[in-house]
Amino acid sequence: MSYRKTHRGVALATAAVAAALLVTACRPGGGPEAAGSASGVPSGPSHTAASSDPTDTAPSKASGTAAPSAPAVGASPVVRASGSPAEACTASALDAAVYPAARRPAGTGTGAVIVGFTNASGRPCVLQGHPTVAGAGNGSPQHNVPLSVARTGTASPVRLAPGGRAWAKLTFVQVQGESDGYCMSGAKPVVYPTLVVGVPGAGAHQVALADGEFTECDNKVTVTAVSAVKPS
């Protein structure tokens, strides 16, 4: 009898354990993952761990600064402005000289001359416009006789580097005949030892020929605009 009770007790205990396992398997979250969580062992790598990849260095959006982008291969370098434009030439920045032109109207006297302007300063400057012309009475600028100027050509800015030159051509109403000559208009020819040539914004400059004087009729002169191209 005692043997039978023992055998029946073992059977009942076995059935109870099986029922408990069945209930655990059917309970939500009761799989192996739950078992691992209950045991305190992590079931996988944590998502909050720092990355071990050294290239994972994306800038923070909150910082408001972005990493500078590298220039594209073959891209042209950026050319920056060299500085502010040159200022107009001043009277003290210019040296002026005059000599007879190669192409002159027929007649007696000089007829036409070239005036050269040289930038004598240490910085670039700009000339622009048609010169004014006056005859210096007795060679004195204080006794100027302004000539009526007829302009020819378009005035454009001429940038002069230090030592750079620009030119203008002056053509007079030519004296005719021999000796003192005469004017076609009937007026009396006038002779000036020197001229006073004004440049817009760059002062007035007294010029003299190395050999000879300026002769003209009717107090008229035709002038070209200041140019970087030397006239003939």
Side-chain angles (χ1 to χ4, degrees):
M1 292 294 293
S2 61
Y3 173 77
R4 290 179 181 176
K5 290 181 180 180
T6 301
H7 181 72
R8 182 178 299 175
V10 172
L12 291 175
T14 300
V17 171
L21 292 175
L22 180 61
V23 172
T24 301
C26 294
R27 185 179 301 169
E33 292 83 357
S37 175
S39 65
V41 178
S43 59
S46 172
H47 292 287
T48 60
S51 172
S52 60
D53 185 357
T55 63
D56 186 13
T57 57
S60 170
K61 292 183 180 180
S63 66
T65 58
S69 58
V73 176
S76 299
V78 176
V79 179
R80 301 188 182 277
S82 58
S84 59
E87 297 179 353
C89 298
T90 62
S92 61
L94 293 180
D95 286 339
V98 65
Y99 53 90
R103 298 178 61 182
R104 293 176 285 175
T108 299
T110 52
V113 296
I114 306 298
V115 182
F117 302 97
T118 302
N119 180 3
S121 72
R123 59 192 304 174
C125 64
V126 174
L127 284 180
Q128 181 175 359
H130 294 80
T132 60
V133 183
N138 296 322
S140 172
Q142 286 73 30
H143 297 87
N144 286 349
V145 178
L147 304 186
S148 176
V149 173
R151 300 176 178 178
T152 182
T154 302
S156 300
V158 179
R159 181 186 175 94
L160 298 181
R165 301 185 70 186
W167 294 269
K169 184 175 182 177
L170 316 181
T171 304
F172 304 97
V173 177
Q174 184 65 300
V175 177
Q176 305 298 316
E178 300 295 333
S179 185
D180 292 338
Y182 65 94
C183 297
M184 294 292 293
S185 65
K188 183 178 180 179
V190 179
V191 178
Y192 295 111
T194 62
L195 294 179
V196 178
V197 180
V199 184
H205 304 267
Q206 186 175 8
V207 293
L209 292 168
D211 184 17
E213 296 177 313
F214 303 96
T215 59
E216 58 88 25
C217 287
D218 304 332
N219 287 335
K220 294 180 179 179
V221 61
T222 299
V223 303
T224 64
V226 175
S227 174
V229 178
K230 185 178 179 180
S232 59

